[in-house]
Amino acid sequence: MNAETTGVLKVDGLCKRYPGFALADVSFTLPRGYIMGLIGPNGAGKTTTLKLILGLLRRDDGAIRAFGLDPARQGAALRSRIGFVHDEPHFYRHLTLTGNAALVARFYRSWEWETFRRLADAFELPLRKRFGALSHGNKTKFALALALSHRAELVVLDEPTSGLDPVFRRDLLDTLTELLQDERTSILFSTHITSDLERIADFITLIQNGRIVFSAAKDEILERWALVKGGLELLERLPRGYFRGIHRGAHGFEALTDDVAAARRELGGSAVIEAATLDDLVLYTTESEPDA
């Protein structure tokens, strides 16, 4: 599949500058009917990127198109086709869940009460309870039910599973996977719980210090990257820049390589080479010493 021709969301050269931080030249494409995980450490630029996509911030440079629409000029039309869940949902605290849902429903022509009630039942939401009296987990579940009840073509999730118990996280991932069965819904999923993405994501985009490290199919990434473990003497004979990042210990090191085939050829039995997880990719590209 050619993502460039089928992308429901295209971000190209996106820039946003703040004092002390800049989102610089961020580019990626999300094809229709797929899930993309957006990963990176806190402060990397994930939430800023999502807010720019939603038209909640004004970009300094670059282009964003969702369904061919520019969020800076056509934000209202765009948001009617998007379901959004923030890590800290905000609704009217004094209203019941049913009351809040009735207000939200007015903004969507495609709102489906049947879908909302089905999700509320599946999520075990107390619809007669005031929103302000809910636990954090139930607030997130309510926001998810709202976001999935108007046939959104793009679902944008900002840390939706943070603070949720493992059982509900599993059920949520199943629900998101079911959404893709119609091949019209796409999901952009920002989270620090990378195990969730290893289970359901099709594409992964890693952002670090406001810049994209990579954006590619998950299987391609996991096949390409590996974790190398060996003695410190091995570092002395390898050229600078061989590894992406290094953790040194008293008796050895751990580091990432983005060419696992070459590492197996060149290092042979002198090092242990293991498949890298998404957690490894975040850790070793952001907190390790550079190998440059």
Side-chain angles (χ1 to χ4, degrees):
M1 175 175 291
N2 186 338
E4 289 300 318
T5 60
T6 60
V8 69
L9 172 65
K10 296 185 180 183
V11 178
D12 185 21
L14 183 61
C15 298
K16 178 68 178 179
R17 290 176 286 275
Y18 294 102
F21 175 78
L23 198 68
D25 196 27
V26 168
S27 301
F28 59 85
T29 298
L30 173 58
R32 183 179 293 277
Y34 288 85
I35 298 178
M36 174 176 284
L38 183 62
I39 63 175
N42 290 336
K46 301 188 299 296
T47 296
T48 297
T49 299
L50 298 184
K51 288 182 176 179
L52 288 163
I53 290 169
L54 294 167
L56 302 179
L57 293 175
R58 185 174 296 276
R59 63 185 180 265
D60 294 326
D61 203 357
I64 303 171
R65 293 294 183 273
F67 319 110
L69 303 177
D70 182 347
R73 296 185 295 107
Q74 300 157 300
L78 177 58
R79 286 189 290 274
S80 69
R81 301 169 68 177
I82 292 178
F84 175 59
V85 178
H86 193 269
D87 62 339
E88 290 289 342
H90 296 285
F91 297 99
Y92 288 105
R93 295 179 58 83
H94 65 287
L95 292 181
T96 65
L97 302 194
T98 299
N100 271 294
L103 290 177
V104 171
R106 298 177 185 178
F107 292 94
Y108 298 102
R109 295 180 180 179
S110 56
W111 178 267
E112 298 176 342
W113 277 108
E114 180 181 352
T115 298
F116 172 74
R117 293 189 181 98
R118 176 176 57 80
L119 290 170
D121 182 63
F123 295 169
E124 299 182 342
L125 290 172
L127 294 180
R128 296 182 180 180
K129 198 169 186 177
R130 291 182 295 107
F131 178 77
L134 297 183
S135 66
H136 172 72
N138 274 341
K139 287 178 180 178
T140 300
K141 293 177 184 181
F142 178 60
L144 284 163
L146 294 179
L148 303 178
S149 294
H150 61 90
R151 295 182 57 78
E153 297 171 66
L154 174 62
V155 179
V156 178
L157 307 173
D158 189 4
E159 300 285 357
T161 56
S162 178
L164 298 179
D165 64 82
V167 173
F168 181 73
R169 280 176 40 219
R170 180 200 62 200
D171 293 344
L172 169 60
L173 298 181
D174 289 342
T175 298
L176 295 178
T177 302
E178 290 172 6
L179 275 178
L180 302 184
Q181 300 308 307
D182 62 4
E183 298 184 351
R184 65 181 289 277
T185 305
S186 304
I187 299 173
L188 181 59
F189 191 155
S190 171
T191 182
H192 67 279
I193 306 176
T194 56
S195 59
D196 290 346
L197 297 179
E198 288 183 342
R199 178 178 171 187
I200 67 169
D202 302 293
F203 297 87
I204 299 292
T205 295
L206 171 59
I207 186 168
Q208 172 191 355
N209 296 324
R211 295 180 178 274
I212 296 295
V213 177
F214 56 69
S215 183
K218 179 189 66 181
D219 291 345
E220 174 187 327
I221 291 167
L222 295 179
E223 289 174 3
R224 174 184 172 190
W225 291 79
L227 190 61
V228 179
K229 301 177 182 180
L232 294 174
E233 70 281 356
L234 185 61
L235 295 177
E236 301 301 321
R237 66 180 180 86
L238 291 173
R240 302 286 289 179
Y242 189 89
F243 296 116
R244 174 72 195 190
I246 301 171
H247 276 180
R248 297 176 189 259
H251 304 290
F253 75 93
E254 296 181 357
L256 274 183
T257 176
D258 61 356
D259 192 340
V260 63
R264 293 188 189 283
R265 287 195 310 269
E266 296 169 16
L267 301 180
S270 61
V272 176
I273 302 174
E274 302 175 347
T277 65
L278 294 180
D279 265 346
D280 291 332
L281 295 177
V282 174
L283 176 64
Y284 286 85
T285 58
T286 58
E287 296 182 0
S288 307
E289 65 176 274
D291 184 31

